[in-house]
């Protein structure tokens, strides 16, 4: 450094600073110990004014205030830069503060030695203002780290500013046309007994093509916020935010929060996405006078929302969450939740799903809840079911289409390889037909051992009702039951078989006229067994005027038999009765007998006959 002093007692000096390798040189002139003017005191006091208790104004005309100021100009051959700078420093002992202001113009050129003939590549202006509280011993307060980061921006405004620095830069790249601006602010604040550090940064860049980029950063104690954004002439835009905070919730519990948000819109598609990590702490008493914070729970969560600017106008959404709990010093996931849904607005089509998973301390999946649904404007369905670690589960489903609606509920129990399933369903066609059903099965050793089904239905307004029951088991038993009721008919049927080879069937029918009067009845039974025995019965009755019955059968030895009888009563009082029987022993022997009665009108006259026969004639 080469210094040339000014006139004695003037406080002025000038000189030059030069790097040893000659790549950097700066000339300066400065005035020290001058009394500040009203205008300079006012302008120098801008940094930090009105923000804290220590900032009481510039102290115009104060006898204890001094002002240093000067100019600098220099160049850096290695970086191809040259600059000019003016500065001033105001110190007011009465207010225990120092204010500094710097204005600088920098150019980046192709040849520094060419002076005015050099081509300017890019240039920028820088402004800097600083404010600093001075301790009673005359030294400036130093920076110190914060002991807590729980102070928000509103609280910072009520704090005392101990130190502040604001730096501004605006420039232009003459080759590319890019322009930019930056603002950086640093502060040290006192809030009660705490000393906090705060910083703010903002940058904005604009290309000659119209593309813009920007970023912002803010730190207060242990809390941090950042933001980036940009846009292009094509319509493409984006934005991202990041936040790290130390908070205190409404219960006085300390929480740590990390939050990220991203957004973009490229003219064809737009999406907004964010996720968050929230740590919850609790205090532990380690000694009568000391406490420490322990992590109680960590919650990770996020969301995603997007849409496509096309003919379908498609939307998509997503929500997710994970909960982690400490276990012997390690964080383990205990719960997961994810939900997704989509929508095509042009055709009113939508669908979605969600899943909630609970995990035990060993890392095994416990209870899981699932849901799937869709709605296309013509048909919709919603299904929800829950599964447990032991294999048990339950669920339900509902849906609708073109006036139809349906639903079901089910429940599954498990005990190792044994278990049972029960299902209940219903359906309504919207035209009066309603059906309810129950079905189920039971298994042992992972194999079905028993099953059943039951259905109950009706057609409202048409007097139609029915019931159907079926079932079976692994031993070979099977059964079927049905009952039907119409306006003109009622009927029932049963049939089945068992493990021994027995088979049977029963049927019953009643018919009615349009006045509801029963006009005909019919019953039928038949069966057989594994030995070869079989039988059959049939009975018919029509309004107490005509009756008829048939029975027949056979056995394993080859014997067969049949019996038939009937009667008829006519409106004029005439009628008849008859019986017919026959049998065979399987060895070629046959026999039988018949008899009958007939009578005329009013019950008068008539005849009777009896007939017996055998294979011998």
């Amino acid at each position: 450094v080469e210094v040339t002093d000014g006139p004695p007692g003037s406080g002025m000096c000038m000189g030059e600073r030069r790097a040893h390798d000659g790549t950097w040189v700066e000339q300066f002139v400065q005035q020290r110990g001058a009394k500040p003017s009203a205008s300079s005191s006012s302008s120098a006091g801008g940094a930090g004014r009105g923000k804290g208790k220590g900032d009481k104004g510039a102290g115009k005309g104060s006898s204890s205030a001094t002002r240093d100021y000067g100019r600098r100009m220099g160049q850096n051959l290695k970086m191809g830069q040259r600059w000019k700078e003016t500065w001033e420093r105001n110190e007011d002992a009465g207010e225990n503060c120092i204010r500094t202001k710097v204005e600088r113009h920098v150019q980046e050129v192709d040849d520094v030695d060419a002076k005015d003939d050099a081509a300017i590549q890019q240039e920028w202006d820088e402004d800097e203002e600083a404010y600093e509280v001075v301790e009673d011993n005359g030294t400036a307060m130093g920076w110190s780290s914060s002991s807590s980061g729980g102070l928000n921006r509103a609280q910072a405004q009520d704090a005392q500013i101990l130190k502040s620095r604001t730096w501004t830069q605006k420039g232009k790249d003459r080759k590319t046309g890019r322009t930019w601006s930056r603002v950086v602010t640093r502060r040290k604040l006192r809030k009660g007994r705490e000393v906090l550090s705060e910083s703010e940064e903002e940058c904005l860049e604009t290309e000659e093509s119209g593309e813009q980029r920007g970023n912002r950063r803010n730190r207060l104690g242990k809390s941090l916020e950042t933001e980036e954004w940009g846009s292009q002439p094509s319509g493409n835009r984006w934005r991202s935010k990041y936040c790290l905070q130390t908070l205190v919730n409404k219960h006085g519990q300390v929480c740590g929060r990390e939050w990220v948000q991203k957004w973009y819109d490229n003219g064809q598609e737009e999406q907004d996405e964010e996720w968050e990590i929230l740590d919850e702490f609790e205090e532990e008493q380690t000694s009568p006078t000391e406490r420490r914070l322990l992590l109680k729970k960590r919650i990770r969560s996020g969301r995603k929302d997007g849409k496509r600017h096309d003919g379908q106008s498609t939307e998509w959404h997503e929500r997710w969450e994970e909960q982690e709990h400490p276990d012997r010093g390690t964080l383990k996931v205990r719960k997961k939740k994810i939900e997704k849904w989509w929508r095509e607005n042009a055709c009113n089509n939508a669908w979605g799903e969600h899943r909630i998973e609970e995990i035990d301390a060993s890392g095994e999946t416990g209870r899981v809840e699932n849901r799937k649904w869709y709605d296309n404007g013509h048909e919709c369905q919603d299904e929800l079911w829950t599964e447990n670690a032991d294999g048990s589960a339950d669920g339900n489903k509902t849906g609708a289409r073109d006036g139809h609606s349906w639903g079901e509920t089910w429940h599954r129990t498990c005990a190792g390889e044994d278990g049972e399933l029960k299902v209940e369903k219903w359906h309504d066609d919207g035209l009066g037909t309603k059906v309810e059903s129950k079905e189920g099965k039971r298994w042992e050793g992972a194999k079905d051992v028993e099953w059943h089904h039951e259905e109950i239905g009706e057609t409202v307004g048409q007097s139609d009702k029915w019931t159907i029951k079926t079932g079976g088991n692994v031993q070979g038993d099977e059964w079927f039951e049905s009952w039907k009721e119409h306006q003109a008919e009622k009927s029932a049927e049963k049939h089945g078989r068992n493990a021994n080879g027995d088979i049977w069937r029963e049927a019953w029918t009643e018919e009615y006229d349009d006045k509801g009067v029963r006009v005909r009845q019919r019953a039928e039974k038949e069966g057989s067994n594994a030995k070869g025995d079989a039988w059959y019965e049939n009975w018919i009755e029509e309004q107490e005027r005509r009756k008829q019955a048939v029975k027949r059968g056979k056995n394993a030895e080859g014997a067969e038999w049949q019996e038939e009888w009937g009667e008829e009563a006519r409106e004029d009082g005439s009628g008849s009765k008859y019986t017919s029987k026959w049998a065979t022993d399987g060895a070629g022997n046959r026999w039988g007998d018949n008899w009958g009665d007939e009578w005329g009108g009013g019950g008068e006259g008539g005849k009777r006959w009896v007939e017996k026969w055998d294979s011998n004639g």
Side-chain angles (χ1 to χ4, degrees), residues 139-354:
T139 60
M141 294 282 290
W143 289 93
S144 64
S145 62
S146 168
S147 60
S148 171
L151 199 66
N152 59 34
R153 189 172 298 180
Q155 292 173 314
Q157 293 178 354
D158 298 330
Q160 179 189 11
I161 298 179
L162 302 179
K163 193 171 184 178
S164 174
R165 176 178 177 268
T166 300
W167 175 77
T168 303
Q169 183 186 80
K170 295 182 180 180
K172 181 176 182 179
D173 189 325
R174 294 196 177 185
K175 291 178 64 177
T176 64
R178 180 178 67 94
T179 61
W180 72 89
S181 64
R182 294 187 181 93
V183 178
V184 180
T185 301
R186 301 274 195 275
R187 296 189 187 95
K188 183 167 67 174
L189 312 170
R190 175 177 285 143
K191 176 69 174 179
R193 301 173 63 181
E194 290 187 306
V195 176
L196 305 174
S197 299
E198 181 186 29
S199 64
E200 294 181 5
E201 299 179 20
E202 184 173 351
C203 176
L204 179 63
E205 297 179 83
T206 303
E207 300 288 350
E208 190 174 31
S209 63
E211 179 180 349
Q212 290 187 333
R213 295 180 299 274
N215 62 76
R216 182 181 295 113
R217 178 186 176 95
N218 180 67
R219 179 185 289 275
L220 176 60
K222 296 181 180 179
S223 297
L224 172 67
E225 294 181 11
T226 65
E227 182 178 1
E228 296 181 359
W229 65 92
S231 64
Q232 295 176 333
S234 62
N236 190 19
R237 298 175 294 160
W238 68 93
R239 180 180 65 249
S240 66
K241 294 182 179 180
Y242 174 81
C243 179
L244 180 64
Q245 295 175 309
T246 302
L247 309 170
V248 178
N249 64 19
K250 63 180 180 180
H251 303 295
Q253 298 171 322
V254 178
C255 302
R257 177 176 182 257
E258 185 176 4
W259 176 79
V260 179
Q261 182 186 37
K262 292 185 176 181
W263 170 86
Y264 72 84
D265 184 352
N266 58 20
Q268 298 177 343
E269 183 175 283
E270 180 179 355
Q271 182 169 289
D272 189 5
E273 181 178 4
E274 69 177 49
W275 58 92
E276 178 184 70
I277 300 176
L278 183 65
D279 289 341
E280 295 183 7
F281 296 87
E282 58 185 356
E283 287 189 333
E284 180 186 50
Q285 191 80 38
T286 57
S287 70
T289 58
E290 295 183 357
R291 303 171 70 90
R292 67 172 181 174
L293 288 177
L294 294 177
L295 182 61
K296 177 182 177 183
K297 180 170 59 176
R298 171 170 290 173
I299 302 175
R300 303 176 186 267
S301 60
R303 68 168 182 87
K304 184 186 293 184
D305 300 286
K307 59 183 177 180
R308 188 170 290 115
H309 308 301
D310 56 10
Q312 295 293 329
S313 189
T314 305
E315 295 181 15
W316 58 91
H317 308 271
E318 181 178 337
R319 304 288 184 271
W320 63 270
E321 180 181 304
E322 291 183 1
Q323 292 187 14
E324 298 177 335
H325 295 255
D327 183 9
R328 289 174 289 187
T330 303
L331 280 173
K332 293 186 176 180
V333 177
R334 291 297 182 84
K335 189 174 184 179
K336 293 181 179 180
K337 179 180 179 181
I338 185 167
E339 184 174 5
K340 301 178 181 180
W341 69 99
W342 299 261
R343 178 181 295 276
E344 295 173 342
N345 292 298
C347 55
N348 198 28
N349 188 23
W351 64 98
E353 61 184 38
H354 89 226

Side-chain angles (χ1 to χ4, degrees), residues 515-530:
K515 296 180 181 180
V517 177
R518 186 173 63 193
V519 296
R520 191 169 188 261
Q521 297 180 75
R522 179 181 178 183
E524 191 174 31
K525 296 181 180 181
E526 61 180 320
S528 64
N529 58 32

Side-chain angles (χ1 to χ4, degrees), residues 346-451:
C347 55
N348 198 28
N349 188 23
W351 64 98
E353 61 184 38
H354 89 226
R355 177 183 174 90
I356 301 175
E357 182 178 349
E358 296 178 358
I359 303 171
D360 61 23
S362 64
E364 297 294 328
T365 300
R367 182 176 179 271
V368 179
E369 179 183 303
N370 297 278
R371 182 191 178 205
K372 291 186 177 182
W373 62 271
Y374 67 86
D375 185 350
N376 58 23
H378 305 288
E379 180 177 332
C380 63
Q381 182 167 291
D382 193 352
E383 182 176 6
L384 178 67
W385 72 97
T386 303
E387 300 172 302
N388 300 304
D390 61 358
S392 61
D394 57 78
N396 62 77
K397 181 193 296 184
T398 57
R401 180 185 66 246
D402 299 331
H404 290 247
S405 58
W406 62 87
E408 71 175 63
T409 60
W410 57 273
H411 179 71
R412 183 178 69 209
T413 58
C414 289
E417 293 187 343
D418 302 341
E420 184 178 12
L421 174 65
K422 296 181 179 179
V423 183
E424 296 185 8
K425 300 180 180 180
W426 62 268
H427 176 257
D428 187 342
D429 68 356
L431 302 175
T433 301
K434 299 181 179 181
V435 180
E436 296 181 5
S437 67
K438 297 180 180 180
E439 60 185 51
K441 64 178 180 178
R442 185 172 60 86
W443 58 90
E444 296 177 359
K447 294 182 179 180
D448 293 345
V449 297
E450 186 178 298
W451 51 91

